[in-house]
Amino acid sequence: MMLTPLASLRTGLEVQLDARSRDWLHRALAEAADAPRAPGPGAAAGLPPWERHFATAGRHCAPAPGAAPADAAALTDTARVLLLHAAGPDAEALTRLYGHGSAAERRAVLLALPHLDPPPETSAALALVEDALRSNDTELITAALGSYAAAHLDAHQWRHGVLKCLFTGVPLSSVAELEGRARGDGELARMLSDYARERTAAGREVPADLHHALKLTEDPRTERP
Amino acid sequence: MRIFDPHIHMTSRTTDDYSAMYEAGVRALVEPSFWLGQPRTSPASFFDYFDSLLGWEPFRAAQHGIAHHCTLALNPKEANDPRCTPVLDALPRYLLKDNVVAVGEVGYDSMTPAEDTALAAQLQLALDHDLPALVHTPHRDKAAGLTRTLDVLRSSGLPPERVVLDHLNETTLGAATDSGCWLGFSIYPDTKMDTDRMIRILRVHGTERVLVNSAADWGRSDPLKTRHVGDAMLAAGFTDDDVDQVLWRNPVAFYGQSGRLRPGIPAPTAADAAATHEGNSILRGGE
């Protein structure tokens, strides 16, 4: 879903929201677009209006009656991603929104990373991804391993992210560009094999996903030198 | 029997507790912020705690099929430590969060001037954020504490139907009932209220505006006390509908005033639904 261009994301969201929620979305996006990118020291005290919308999105995104049964949390995620895109927060604001955010707000910041224009400062964005990968919240882990991590996370952290999915039960199908990054990755193969041995030694089942990932690493056609 | 525990400190409880609660019928709960036994010495410890109530603990609860909401506040005990009072300045941004369904626990511990200040300031925050308030009544000098609490509530402008007075007992029930506030009872193994006394209170007072909670925390307490009250009510001749009112519909109605209770709370079983008037739709609260 997150690779869909933002315009389609917005259209997809609007058709699923009821009329009142749609009005809120339009107002909130307009206020976000008007927000200064990096409020100066003279900015009014308290939260900018768009950040209030960001925090309260969960109670403003009600599905339209008769719409296809939608996951309310997914609607809210999309609304928050659109708000972040419209406001274009700088690295400091992005870090604050994540740090001060509920689990759902943190998830939205992670999901928004590949969509921000201009793109976020890489080291600041990766710090958020790494923070989420240290957590044990599977929804944060899933959101952290989206296309931003696929493009920017270093090999060591990315491999640990994959292993963490296996540990916490996050399906590897949710790891962005798994195939491309795993292919020919001998170190990932070693880590997966070691984990499989550990599970087997303990008399525990080896996750089916592990075999799948292992197969991807063994693809001989593109073996790295 | 579907159960909504309107006051329980899950941060201090284990995954075994979560499993046992689910087995007993608990499908939703509210975790009020309170003190942790060990005093905190800086606002940052509170912020980590609040973040946990808005992140990690709902995740843990969801893994056991239980919907988790919270109430946030600077608790009365730590309101007396000037190192902690800057928490009051940060509360507005926390009270915006979707999962926060009340300001609480506020109230009195030792009835000090610092507690007066924190209580009044946080009742104003409840008004500003259109939230109900969970008011802890003191364990020591309880009746006098309630009288003073009711004075402050009256001058706060917060309507009584948006306030629950918690940890009530036989000596405070009358004044609390007369105030028009919701009535909270914490069922404990040794202290506070017990199951048999709760049944006697329900017989005399009825089931209106009553919230029964386990208030289970890090002390000697039992997260299944809500279920015990439900069973004792049935044994005492109350109907399934009475039990559902006390253990589900009342807390949903009280916290639903926030407009923030999530419809994502697991759907009731067919038997539960048959015992209600409005089914799961009441979970939408103010909507």
Coordinates of all heavy atoms in Angstrom, one line a residue, chain B residues 153-218:
Chain B
L153 N -14.5 20.0 43.5 CA -15.3 19.7 42.3 C -16.4 20.7 42.0 O -16.5 21.1 40.8 CB -15.9 18.3 42.4 CG -14.9 17.1 42.2 CD1 -15.6 15.8 42.6 CD2 -14.4 17.0 40.8
R154 N -17.1 21.1 43.0 CA -18.2 22.1 42.8 C -17.6 23.4 42.2 O -18.2 23.9 41.3 CB -18.9 22.3 44.1 CG -20.1 21.4 44.3 CD -21.0 21.8 45.5 NE -20.3 21.6 46.7 CZ -20.3 20.5 47.4 NH1 -21.0 19.4 47.0 NH2 -19.6 20.4 48.5
S155 N -16.5 23.8 42.7 CA -16.0 25.1 42.2 C -15.2 24.9 40.9 O -14.9 25.9 40.3 CB -15.1 25.8 43.3 OG -14.0 24.9 43.6
S156 N -15.0 23.7 40.5 CA -14.3 23.5 39.2 C -15.1 23.7 38.0 O -14.6 24.0 36.9 CB -13.7 22.0 39.2 OG -14.8 21.1 38.9
G157 N -16.4 23.5 38.1 CA -17.3 23.7 36.9 C -17.4 22.4 36.1 O -18.1 22.3 35.1
L158 N -16.7 21.3 36.5 CA -16.8 20.1 35.8 C -18.1 19.4 36.3 O -18.4 19.2 37.5 CB -15.6 19.2 36.2 CG -15.3 18.0 35.3 CD1 -15.0 18.4 33.9 CD2 -14.2 17.2 35.9
P159 N -19.0 19.1 35.3 CA -20.3 18.5 35.7 C -20.1 17.2 36.4 O -19.3 16.4 36.1 CB -21.1 18.3 34.4 CG -20.3 19.0 33.4 CD -18.9 19.2 33.9
P160 N -20.9 16.9 37.5 CA -20.7 15.6 38.2 C -20.8 14.4 37.4 O -20.2 13.4 37.7 CB -21.8 15.7 39.3 CG -22.7 16.8 38.9 CD -22.0 17.7 38.0
E161 N -21.6 14.4 36.3 CA -21.8 13.2 35.5 C -20.5 12.9 34.7 O -20.4 11.8 34.2 CB -23.0 13.3 34.6 CG -22.9 14.4 33.5 CD -23.5 15.7 34.0 OE1 -23.6 15.9 35.2 OE2 -23.8 16.5 33.1
R162 N -19.5 13.8 34.8 CA -18.3 13.6 34.1 C -17.2 13.2 35.1 O -16.0 13.3 34.8 CB -17.9 14.8 33.2 CG -18.8 15.0 32.1 CD -18.5 16.2 31.2 NE -17.3 16.0 30.4 CZ -17.3 15.4 29.2 NH1 -18.4 14.9 28.7 NH2 -16.2 15.3 28.5
V163 N -17.6 12.9 36.3 CA -16.6 12.6 37.4 C -16.9 11.2 38.0 O -18.1 10.9 38.2 CB -16.6 13.6 38.5 CG1 -15.7 13.2 39.6 CG2 -16.3 15.0 37.9
V164 N -15.9 10.4 38.2 CA -16.1 9.2 39.0 C -15.3 9.3 40.2 O -14.1 9.7 40.2 CB -15.7 7.9 38.2 CG1 -14.3 7.8 37.8 CG2 -16.0 6.7 39.1
L165 N -15.9 9.1 41.4 CA -15.2 9.1 42.7 C -14.9 7.7 43.0 O -15.8 6.8 43.1 CB -16.2 9.7 43.8 CG -16.6 11.1 43.5 CD1 -17.8 11.5 44.5 CD2 -15.5 12.1 43.7
D166 N -13.6 7.4 43.1 CA -13.2 6.0 43.2 C -12.8 5.6 44.7 O -12.5 6.5 45.5 CB -12.0 5.8 42.3 CG -12.1 4.4 41.7 OD1 -12.8 3.5 42.2 OD2 -11.4 4.1 40.7
H167 N -12.7 4.3 44.9 CA -12.3 3.8 46.2 C -13.3 4.1 47.2 O -12.9 4.4 48.4 CB -10.9 4.2 46.6 CG -9.8 4.2 45.6 ND1 -9.6 3.1 44.7 CD2 -8.9 5.1 45.2 CE1 -8.6 3.4 43.9 NE2 -8.2 4.6 44.2
L168 N -14.6 4.1 46.9 CA -15.6 4.5 47.9 C -15.8 3.3 48.8 O -15.5 2.1 48.5 CB -16.9 4.8 47.2 CG -16.8 6.1 46.3 CD1 -18.2 6.3 45.6 CD2 -16.5 7.3 47.2
N169 N -16.5 3.6 50.0 CA -16.9 2.5 50.9 C -18.2 3.0 51.6 O -18.8 4.0 51.2 CB -15.7 2.2 51.9 CG -15.4 3.4 52.8 OD1 -16.2 4.3 52.9 ND2 -14.2 3.4 53.3
E170 N -18.6 2.2 52.6 CA -19.9 2.5 53.2 C -19.9 3.9 53.8 O -21.0 4.5 53.9 CB -20.1 1.5 54.4 CG -20.4 0.0 53.9 CD -19.1 -0.7 53.6 OE1 -18.0 -0.1 53.6 OE2 -19.1 -2.0 53.3
T171 N -18.8 4.4 54.3 CA -18.8 5.7 55.0 C -18.9 6.9 54.0 O -19.2 8.0 54.4 CB -17.6 5.9 55.9 OG1 -16.4 6.0 55.1 CG2 -17.5 4.8 56.9
T172 N -18.5 6.6 52.7 CA -18.5 7.7 51.8 C -19.6 7.6 50.7 O -19.8 8.5 49.9 CB -17.1 7.8 51.1 OG1 -16.7 6.5 50.6 CG2 -16.0 8.3 52.0
L173 N -20.3 6.5 50.7 CA -21.3 6.2 49.6 C -22.4 7.3 49.6 O -22.7 7.8 48.5 CB -21.9 4.8 49.8 CG -23.0 4.5 48.9 CD1 -22.6 4.5 47.4 CD2 -23.6 3.1 49.3
G174 N -22.9 7.7 50.8 CA -24.0 8.6 50.9 C -23.7 10.0 50.2 O -24.4 10.4 49.3
A175 N -22.6 10.6 50.7 CA -22.2 11.9 50.2 C -21.8 11.8 48.7 O -22.1 12.7 47.9 CB -21.0 12.4 51.0
A176 N -21.2 10.7 48.3 CA -20.8 10.5 46.9 C -22.0 10.4 46.0 O -22.1 11.0 44.9 CB -19.9 9.3 46.7
T177 N -23.0 9.7 46.5 CA -24.3 9.5 45.7 C -25.0 10.8 45.6 O -25.4 11.2 44.5 CB -25.2 8.5 46.4 OG1 -24.5 7.3 46.6 CG2 -26.5 8.2 45.6
D178 N -25.0 11.6 46.7 CA -25.7 12.9 46.6 C -25.0 13.9 45.7 O -25.7 14.8 45.2 CB -25.8 13.5 48.0 CG -26.7 12.7 49.0 OD1 -27.4 11.9 48.5 OD2 -26.5 12.9 50.2
S179 N -23.8 13.7 45.4 CA -23.0 14.6 44.6 C -23.4 14.5 43.1 O -23.2 15.4 42.3 CB -21.5 14.4 44.7 OG -21.2 13.2 44.0
G180 N -24.0 13.4 42.7 CA -24.4 13.1 41.3 C -23.2 12.6 40.5 O -23.4 12.4 39.3
C181 N -22.1 12.4 41.1 CA -20.9 11.8 40.4 C -21.1 10.3 40.2 O -22.0 9.7 40.9 CB -19.6 12.0 41.2 SG -19.1 13.7 41.4
W182 N -20.3 9.7 39.3 CA -20.3 8.2 39.2 C -19.6 7.6 40.5 O -18.7 8.3 41.1 CB -19.6 7.8 38.0 CG -20.4 8.1 36.7 CD1 -20.6 9.3 36.2 CD2 -21.1 7.1 35.9 NE1 -21.4 9.2 35.0 CE2 -21.7 7.8 34.8 CE3 -21.2 5.7 35.9 CZ2 -22.4 7.2 33.8 CZ3 -22.0 5.1 34.9 CH2 -22.6 5.8 33.9
L183 N -19.9 6.4 40.8 CA -19.4 5.8 42.1 C -18.5 4.6 41.7 O -18.9 3.6 41.1 CB -20.6 5.3 42.9 CG -21.8 6.3 43.0 CD1 -23.0 5.6 43.7 CD2 -21.3 7.5 43.9
G184 N -17.2 4.7 42.1 CA -16.3 3.7 41.8 C -15.9 2.9 43.1 O -15.8 3.5 44.2
F185 N -15.9 1.6 42.9 CA -15.5 0.7 44.1 C -14.4 -0.2 43.6 O -14.5 -0.9 42.6 CB -16.8 -0.1 44.5 CG -17.9 0.7 45.0 CD1 -18.9 1.2 44.1 CD2 -18.0 1.0 46.3 CE1 -19.9 2.0 44.6 CE2 -19.0 1.8 46.8 CZ -20.0 2.3 45.9
S186 N -13.3 -0.2 44.4 CA -12.2 -1.0 44.2 C -12.2 -2.3 45.1 O -12.2 -2.1 46.3 CB -10.9 -0.2 44.4 OG -10.9 0.9 43.6
I187 N -12.3 -3.4 44.5 CA -12.4 -4.7 45.3 C -11.1 -5.3 45.5 O -10.3 -5.6 44.6 CB -13.3 -5.7 44.5 CG1 -14.5 -5.0 43.9 CG2 -13.7 -6.8 45.4 CD1 -15.5 -4.3 44.9
Y188 N -10.7 -5.4 46.8 CA -9.4 -5.8 47.2 C -9.4 -7.0 48.1 O -10.4 -7.2 48.8 CB -8.6 -4.6 47.9 CG -7.6 -3.9 47.0 CD1 -7.9 -3.6 45.7 CD2 -6.4 -3.5 47.6 CE1 -6.9 -3.0 44.9 CE2 -5.5 -2.9 46.8 CZ -5.7 -2.6 45.5 OH -4.8 -1.9 44.7
P189 N -8.4 -7.8 48.1 CA -8.4 -9.0 49.0 C -8.5 -8.6 50.5 O -9.2 -9.2 51.2 CB -7.0 -9.6 48.7 CG -6.6 -9.1 47.4 CD -7.2 -7.8 47.2
D190 N -7.7 -7.5 50.9 CA -7.7 -7.2 52.4 C -8.2 -5.8 52.7 O -8.8 -5.6 53.7 CB -6.3 -7.3 52.9 CG -5.7 -8.7 52.7 OD1 -6.4 -9.6 52.9 OD2 -4.5 -8.8 52.3
T191 N -7.9 -4.9 51.8 CA -8.3 -3.5 52.1 C -9.4 -3.0 51.2 O -10.0 -3.8 50.5 CB -7.1 -2.6 51.9 OG1 -6.6 -2.7 50.6 CG2 -6.0 -3.0 52.9
K192 N -9.7 -1.7 51.2 CA -10.7 -1.1 50.3 C -12.0 -1.9 50.4 O -12.5 -2.1 51.6 CB -10.2 -1.0 48.8 CG -8.9 -0.2 48.7 CD -8.6 0.0 47.2 CE -7.4 1.0 47.0 NZ -6.1 0.4 47.1
M193 N -12.6 -2.2 49.3 CA -14.0 -2.9 49.3 C -13.8 -4.4 49.1 O -12.8 -4.8 48.5 CB -14.8 -2.3 48.2 CG -16.2 -2.7 48.0 SD -17.2 -2.7 49.5 CE -17.1 -0.9 49.9
D194 N -14.7 -5.2 49.7 CA -14.6 -6.6 49.3 C -15.9 -7.1 48.6 O -16.9 -6.3 48.6 CB -14.3 -7.5 50.6 CG -15.4 -7.5 51.6 OD1 -16.6 -7.4 51.2 OD2 -15.1 -7.7 52.8
T195 N -15.9 -8.3 48.1 CA -17.0 -8.7 47.3 C -18.4 -8.7 48.0 O -19.4 -8.2 47.5 CB -16.7 -10.1 46.7 OG1 -15.4 -10.1 46.1 CG2 -17.7 -10.6 45.7
D196 N -18.4 -9.3 49.2 CA -19.7 -9.4 50.0 C -20.2 -8.0 50.3 O -21.5 -7.8 50.1 CB -19.5 -10.2 51.3 CG -19.1 -11.6 51.0 OD1 -19.4 -12.1 49.8 OD2 -18.6 -12.3 51.9
R197 N -19.4 -7.1 50.7 CA -19.8 -5.7 51.0 C -20.3 -5.1 49.7 O -21.3 -4.3 49.7 CB -18.7 -4.9 51.7 CG -18.4 -5.4 53.1 CD -17.0 -4.9 53.5 NE -16.8 -3.5 53.4 CZ -15.6 -2.9 53.1 NH1 -14.5 -3.7 52.9 NH2 -15.5 -1.6 53.0
M198 N -19.7 -5.4 48.6 CA -20.1 -4.8 47.3 C -21.5 -5.2 47.0 O -22.3 -4.4 46.5 CB -19.1 -5.2 46.2 CG -19.3 -4.5 44.9 SD -18.9 -2.7 45.1 CE -20.4 -1.9 44.5
I199 N -21.8 -6.5 47.3 CA -23.2 -7.0 47.0 C -24.2 -6.2 47.8 O -25.3 -5.8 47.4 CB -23.2 -8.5 47.2 CG1 -22.3 -9.2 46.2 CG2 -24.7 -9.0 47.1 CD1 -22.5 -9.0 44.8
R200 N -23.8 -6.1 49.1 CA -24.8 -5.3 50.0 C -25.0 -3.9 49.5 O -26.1 -3.4 49.5 CB -24.2 -5.3 51.4 CG -24.3 -6.6 52.2 CD -24.3 -6.5 53.7 NE -22.9 -6.1 54.1 CZ -21.9 -7.0 54.4 NH1 -22.1 -8.3 54.1 NH2 -20.8 -6.6 54.8
I201 N -23.9 -3.3 49.0 CA -24.1 -1.9 48.5 C -25.0 -1.9 47.3 O -25.8 -1.0 47.1 CB -22.7 -1.3 48.3 CG1 -22.0 -0.9 49.6 CG2 -22.8 -0.1 47.3 CD1 -20.6 -0.4 49.5
L202 N -24.7 -2.9 46.4 CA -25.6 -2.9 45.2 C -27.0 -3.2 45.5 O -27.9 -2.7 44.8 CB -25.0 -4.0 44.2 CG -23.7 -3.7 43.5 CD1 -23.1 -4.9 42.9 CD2 -24.0 -2.6 42.4
R203 N -27.3 -4.0 46.6 CA -28.7 -4.2 47.0 C -29.4 -3.0 47.4 O -30.5 -2.7 47.1 CB -28.7 -5.2 48.1 CG -28.5 -6.7 47.7 CD -29.2 -7.6 48.7 NE -29.2 -9.0 48.2 CZ -28.4 -9.9 48.7 NH1 -27.6 -9.7 49.7 NH2 -28.5 -11.2 48.2
V204 N -28.6 -2.1 48.2 CA -29.2 -0.9 48.7 C -29.3 0.2 47.7 O -30.3 0.9 47.5 CB -28.4 -0.5 50.0 CG1 -28.9 0.9 50.5 CG2 -28.5 -1.5 51.1
H205 N -28.1 0.4 47.0 CA -28.0 1.5 46.1 C -28.6 1.2 44.7 O -29.1 2.1 44.0 CB -26.5 1.9 45.9 CG -26.3 2.9 44.9 ND1 -26.4 4.3 45.1 CD2 -26.0 2.8 43.6 CE1 -26.2 5.0 44.0 NE2 -26.0 4.1 43.0
G206 N -28.5 0.0 44.3 CA -28.9 -0.4 42.9 C -27.6 -0.3 42.0 O -26.5 -0.1 42.5
T207 N -27.9 -0.5 40.7 CA -26.7 -0.7 39.8 C -26.4 0.6 39.0 O -25.5 0.6 38.2 CB -27.1 -1.8 38.8 OG1 -28.3 -1.6 38.2 CG2 -27.1 -3.2 39.5
E208 N -27.2 1.6 39.2 CA -27.0 2.9 38.4 C -25.7 3.6 38.8 O -25.4 3.7 40.0 CB -28.2 3.9 38.7 CG -29.5 3.4 38.1 CD -29.6 3.5 36.6 OE1 -29.0 4.4 36.0 OE2 -30.2 2.7 36.0
R209 N -25.0 4.1 37.8 CA -23.8 4.9 38.1 C -22.7 4.2 38.9 O -21.9 4.9 39.4 CB -24.2 6.2 38.8 CG -24.8 7.2 37.8 CD -24.9 8.6 38.5 NE -25.8 8.7 39.6 CZ -25.6 9.3 40.7 NH1 -24.4 9.9 41.0 NH2 -26.6 9.3 41.7
V210 N -22.8 2.9 39.0 CA -21.8 2.2 39.8 C -20.7 1.6 38.8 O -21.0 0.9 37.8 CB -22.4 1.0 40.6 CG1 -21.4 0.1 41.2 CG2 -23.3 1.6 41.7
L211 N -19.4 1.8 39.2 CA -18.3 1.2 38.5 C -17.6 0.3 39.5 O -17.3 0.7 40.6 CB -17.4 2.2 37.9 CG -17.9 3.3 37.0 CD1 -16.7 4.1 36.5 CD2 -18.6 2.7 35.8
V212 N -17.4 -1.0 39.1 CA -16.6 -1.9 40.0 C -15.3 -2.2 39.3 O -15.3 -2.5 38.1 CB -17.4 -3.2 40.2 CG1 -16.6 -4.3 40.8 CG2 -18.7 -2.9 41.0
N213 N -14.2 -2.0 40.0 CA -12.9 -2.3 39.5 C -12.0 -3.1 40.4 O -12.3 -3.2 41.6 CB -12.2 -1.0 39.1 CG -12.0 -0.1 40.3 OD1 -11.2 -0.4 41.2 ND2 -12.7 1.0 40.4
S214 N -11.0 -3.7 39.8 CA -10.0 -4.4 40.6 C -8.9 -3.6 41.2 O -8.3 -3.9 42.2 CB -9.4 -5.6 39.8 OG -8.5 -5.1 38.9
A215 N -8.7 -2.4 40.5 CA -7.6 -1.5 40.9 C -6.3 -2.3 41.1 O -5.4 -1.9 41.9 CB -7.9 -0.6 42.1
A216 N -6.2 -3.5 40.5 CA -5.0 -4.3 40.7 C -3.7 -3.6 40.3 O -3.7 -2.9 39.3 CB -5.1 -5.6 39.9
D217 N -2.7 -3.7 41.1 CA -1.4 -3.0 40.9 C -0.3 -3.9 41.4 O -0.3 -5.1 41.3 CB -1.5 -1.6 41.6 CG -1.7 -1.7 43.1 OD1 -1.7 -2.8 43.6 OD2 -2.0 -0.6 43.7
W218 N 0.8 -3.2 41.9 CA 2.0 -3.9 42.4 C 1.8 -4.4 43.8 O 2.7 -5.1 44.3 CB 3.2 -3.0 42.3 CG 2.8 -1.6 42.7 CD1 2.6 -0.5 41.8 CD2 2.6 -1.0 44.0 NE1 2.2 0.6 42.4 CE2 2.2 0.3 43.8 CE3 2.6 -1.5 45.3 CZ2 1.9 1.2 44.9 CZ3 2.3 -0.7 46.3 CH2 2.0 0.7 46.1

